Amino acid sequence: MAKRTYVRTAAVLSAASLALFGCSSSDDSSSEDSANSASGGGSAAAETTVSTDCTPEQATAGATPVTTPLVVGTLLPETGTLAFLGPPEVAGVQLAINDVNAAGGVLGQPVQLIPGDSGDTTTDTANVTVDRLLAGGADVIVGAASSSVSLKVIDKIASAGVVQFSPANTSDQFVCYPDKGQYFRTAPTDVLQAQALSQLIAEDGAQRVSILALNDPYGTGLAQNTVDNLQDAGIPSDQIQKIIYDPNAQSFNAEVDDVKNFAPDAVAVIGFEESAKIITRMHEVGIGPSDGTLVYGVDGNMGNALGEAVAKPLLDTMKGTTPLTDVGTEFQDRLKALNPALVDFNYSGESYDAVVISALAAEQAKSTAGTDIAANINSVTKDGEKCTSFAQCLPLVQAGTDIDYDGITGALNFSDSGEPATGSYGKLVFGPENTLTTGGYIVVGE
């Protein structure tokens, strides 16, 4: 089981959290302030609230089990704005399949893998890949990394009776999504990441905070949850500025200038690869991390790819959060054996656990049918006899024992919505060479 350092967060998780998502377009670059917060200028972005107060749909196992080999497809970013997340996720999936097959496979047969690229929302790569995976007989599809990409294909995958298992989706929109009980994720929701991010900001003593967030379900949801948690931590609403921007804009000068005019002592940037342009502009106007401003990132941008895209040492002292557990050097070394070029390990453990959970659920169902696997996923992660690997769990499942798989990412304890009830986050920081180090872990939730 992964080691974790538990840190009490000052923020309070509400029973019915709200996530926000926007309808962005290339000609609708906008900045929007949180309700009753200080003015950041710009025009208001169109946002819709999404309630997480619901009874999630559950899959129902079929009457006749399917005993053909388990086929796992991947829908992971080999190209696009999150391509930096692809290598560790792909390696995590491959390592898990290797371990499952080394332990005897699923239902006595080797698990088969069909790799696939998710691209990003600017292309139709994900739909093309999903069509190919479904045609190839995939029972489980691991991906996508981007919440927006998953939303483009979730209906198609669920309607096919196939499991969609994301290692990196964090948007709250999936909690109550009508997915027929076929969608799962090993990444915790942004309700939890907002708590971890707010903890970092509060620890540094910030009292006036600007939040820059891209206009998509991930960005706007995480931004609003962060606003809520900062207010819960005692920062008045008029000391918080929220600006929502179009990630496809040619320039972010107006948004960054709004931040400078607000004169915050801390800035959180919630974005993807466009974060490089934003932080470069922040430096140009004297509010970048290397200029002494407290600047924070999140899982969408806290990777070494950002360090390569920004001139040294402009990222020096920038901190941030990403779903991460202390997986240990042994696991990282095993990943590097598969891909010696790995420099980031974000979501590698989550990808690994998604495969192992699916394999154990298939064993418990005695079937590789997607609906049968889905009907058993939540139960193999909680309330039973603890086990920490496929090889250790397999004989227990085969003996009819109720198991509780604690994976590479630690205790999972999936809720009815098919996601972890707790979230472990790495406290990341950039150094003067624009490279990342991990300065500890924050665990929030149950």
Side-chain angles (χ1 to χ4, degrees):
M1 180 176 175
K3 295 177 291 183
R4 289 174 164 179
T5 302
Y6 285 80
V7 180
R8 183 176 298 276
T9 177
V12 179
L13 176 63
S14 64
S17 306
L18 296 179
L20 302 179
F21 66 94
C23 303
S24 63
S25 65
S26 59
D27 60 349
D28 188 34
S29 178
S30 56
S31 62
E32 189 236 49
D33 302 322
S34 59
N36 302 318
S37 72
S39 174
S43 58
E47 295 187 0
T48 304
T49 58
V50 178
S51 174
T52 58
D53 185 11
C54 65
T55 300
E57 295 182 359
Q58 303 296 312
T60 302
T64 305
V66 175
T67 57
T68 53
L70 176 64
V71 179
V72 174
T74 58
L75 182 67
L76 298 172
E78 300 171 7
T79 60
T81 55
L82 289 183
F84 76 95
L85 291 177
E89 292 173 342
V90 169
V93 168
Q94 184 64 67
L95 183 58
I97 289 177
N98 291 352
D99 287 351
V100 169
N101 287 342
V106 172
L107 303 183
Q109 304 168 96
V111 177
Q112 300 175 5
L113 174 64
I114 308 175
D117 181 20
S118 65
D120 59 25
T121 56
T122 66
T123 70
D124 199 39
T125 303
N127 269 304
V128 173
T129 296
V130 168
D131 288 342
R132 178 171 60 83
L133 296 178
L134 294 179
D139 306 297
V140 176
I141 295 176
V142 179
S146 162
S147 295
S148 294
V149 171
S150 284
L151 288 169
K152 292 178 66 174
V153 296
I154 187 171
D155 292 335
K156 180 183 294 185
I157 296 172
S159 295
V162 170
V163 169
Q164 181 178 1
F165 213 141
S166 173
N169 288 167
T170 57
S171 171
D172 301 340
Q173 191 167 357
F174 295 103
V175 174
C176 296
Y177 195 90
D179 56 15
K180 305 181 189 299
Q182 296 293 129
Y183 174 88
F184 302 86
R185 53 181 166 184
T186 40
T189 75
D190 283 330
V191 169
L192 299 179
Q193 181 163 200
Q195 291 186 48
L197 178 61
S198 299
Q199 165 103 8
L200 271 185
I201 295 171
E203 282 178 349
D204 289 336
Q207 295 297 315
R208 187 171 172 87
V209 182
S210 290
I211 300 170
L212 279 163
L214 79 162
N215 193 8
D216 83 342
Y218 162 79
T220 55
L222 181 50
Q224 185 58 41
N225 283 322
T226 301
V227 169
D228 294 342
N229 281 277
L230 289 173
Q231 291 178 353
D232 288 338
I235 298 179
S237 61
D238 64 358
Q239 298 300 303
I240 302 172
Q241 176 193 50
K242 184 180 70 171
I243 297 175
I244 305 300
Y245 65 83
D246 174 9
N248 298 313
Q250 295 300 308
S251 168
F252 303 98
N253 290 2
E255 288 84 358
V256 173
D257 290 349
D258 280 345
V259 172
K260 180 177 174 61
N261 292 335
F262 186 67
D265 48 28
V267 180
V269 181
I270 300 172
F272 295 147
E273 65 180 7
E274 77 284 349
S275 302
K277 291 182 178 179
I278 292 172
I279 292 169
T280 298
R281 175 60 181 173
M282 288 172 63
H283 173 68
E284 290 172 354
V285 299
I287 59 170
S290 64
D291 302 305
T293 303
L294 297 173
V295 179
Y296 303 86
V298 288
D299 58 314
N301 52 27
M302 290 299 289
N304 284 308
L306 178 62
E308 295 170 359
V310 176
K312 301 176 185 178
L314 299 191
L315 296 179
D316 188 23
T317 74
M318 179 176 175
K319 298 180 181 180
T321 55
T322 191
L324 190 67
T325 49
D326 185 3
V327 298
T329 57
E330 181 183 356
F331 181 71
Q332 293 180 356
D333 288 345
R334 296 185 70 206
L335 293 171
K336 284 184 176 179
L338 294 175
N339 182 356
L342 280 180
V343 292
D344 291 319
F345 298 94
N346 295 0
Y347 298 113
S348 57
E350 286 83 358
S351 300
Y352 181 97
D353 283 342
V355 173
V356 172
I357 291 168
S358 298
L360 290 171
E363 279 284 349
Q364 182 168 282
K366 296 182 172 56
S367 172
T368 56
T371 52
D372 297 346
I373 294 170
N376 285 270
I377 282 177
N378 290 344
S379 67
V380 301
T381 70
K382 60 184 178 181
D383 299 336
E385 183 172 337
K386 295 279 188 183
C387 52
T388 58
S389 69
F390 182 81
Q392 184 184 18
C393 295
L394 179 60
L396 295 174
V397 173
Q398 290 174 333
T401 304
D402 183 22
I403 65 165
D404 178 354
Y405 171 67
D406 286 355
I408 291 295
T409 56
L412 293 156
N413 301 321
F414 274 18
S415 65
D416 288 345
S417 53
E419 61 195 26
T422 59
S424 175
Y425 297 90
K427 299 166 67 174
L428 307 182
V429 60
F430 279 103
E433 294 298 310
N434 283 6
T435 54
L436 279 171
T437 57
T438 303
Y441 300 85
I442 300 174
V443 175
V444 294
E446 289 186 346

